[in-house]
Amino acid sequence: MTDLHIHILPGLDDGADSWEDALEMAQMAVESGVEIMAATSHANLPEGNRKQYRESERYLGVLEQFQKLLAREKIPLRVCGGMEIFAVGDYLERLLKGELLTLNQTSYVLAEFPMDCQAAMIYRAVQQMEQAGYRPVLAHPERYLCVQQVPAHVYEWYTMGAVIQMNKGSLLGRFGERSRRTADSLLRHGLVCAAASDAHRPYIRTPRLEELWETLADRYGERTAWLLLEENPARILAGRSIRKEQPLPYDYS
């Protein structure tokens, strides 16, 4: 499997606290069937979270150190670069300058938004990223209040070209019932393109993906599990077009 979204690099954000935690998370991921992951540290967060803000130069140094540790410890895991970018302010300008990083140096951008943002903010960001030549990957939209209220927004973003990334914890009920119901709705409408752990620790929000695979396969079919946890994440990290299903529109008539 390929984990497209994980906070495993220590010292950069609210993810792993130490190299020991990072290595434990890596081992857990491998044991659950993960072979490749994108180490997507938070980037360009608002001023209130300034301590989590890091430039690409520092990020790449930590990533290189982690890759060396994995090799030394003989943990068979490929870790690619990338950031979870807060899609506000001058983020596009900073992407173009290389101050913020895409997923594995491709045109795919993992973008997040405030949990209580207006849907218009996401519509605008999707359009802006595509006009700049990027392919937006929307991180966990099932957790956004505007989507929980009107999931049909995701159908529109999907048809605009956005990639929809769902969190493991959402489907498994670990972010509350509203997130779980919204994740289920998006899956049943064929709108989810990739699933990921969004793991932060080896003991909470962990990188284990076997339960997610089993849940997806049991409820939505083996093909869905394969598409969301293997095929599409691997295609994204290779810079290739993903496989998209024909979605079901929401009918509010």
Side-chain angles (χ1 to χ4, degrees), residues 34 62 83 179 208 220 230:
V34 176
V62 176
M83 292 176 169
S179 291
R208 292 192 178 277
Y220 312 98
E230 287 196 9

Side-chain angles (χ1 to χ4, degrees), residues 91-191:
Y91 75 99
L92 273 178
E93 180 182 345
R94 297 190 64 212
L95 269 167
L96 291 166
K97 288 180 178 179
E99 295 175 1
L100 300 177
L101 302 177
T102 62
L103 293 170
N104 199 30
Q105 301 180 350
T106 68
S107 60
Y108 286 101
V109 175
L110 182 65
E112 69 169 329
F113 302 85
M115 294 297 169
D116 60 351
C117 73
Q118 297 295 313
M121 180 181 188
I122 303 178
Y123 280 99
R124 183 166 57 250
V126 169
Q127 185 177 49
Q128 289 173 340
M129 281 186 270
E130 292 188 336
Q131 288 175 344
Y134 296 108
R135 290 182 279 189
V137 179
L138 302 186
H140 46 66
E142 73 280 355
R143 297 182 62 196
Y144 301 143
L145 181 60
C146 64
V147 173
Q148 293 173 355
Q149 293 171 337
V150 185
H153 288 310
V154 179
Y155 178 85
E156 298 295 332
W157 301 331
Y158 182 102
T159 58
M160 289 170 67
V163 175
I164 309 302
Q165 179 259 300
M166 181 196 74
N167 272 12
K168 173 184 79 170
S170 297
L171 185 63
L172 300 183
R174 292 165 190 165
F175 295 113
E177 183 61 16
R178 295 187 72 176
S179 291
R180 189 201 65 76
R181 287 200 309 264
T182 305
D184 175 71
S185 175
L186 299 180
L187 282 161
R188 293 190 184 282
H189 281 78
L191 295 169

Side-chain angles (χ1 to χ4, degrees), residues 1-4 33-36 166 168 193-197 209-217 223-234:
M1 289 182 280
T2 297
D3 194 348
L4 201 62
V34 176
E35 298 176 331
I36 306 170
M166 181 196 74
K168 173 184 79 170
C193 307
S197 72
L209 286 181
E210 68 265 57
E211 185 180 2
L212 178 59
W213 177 285
E214 291 166 2
T215 301
L216 287 169
R223 174 176 166 77
T224 296
W226 169 78
L227 200 63
L228 273 52
L229 289 170
E230 287 196 9
E231 181 69 6
N232 278 343

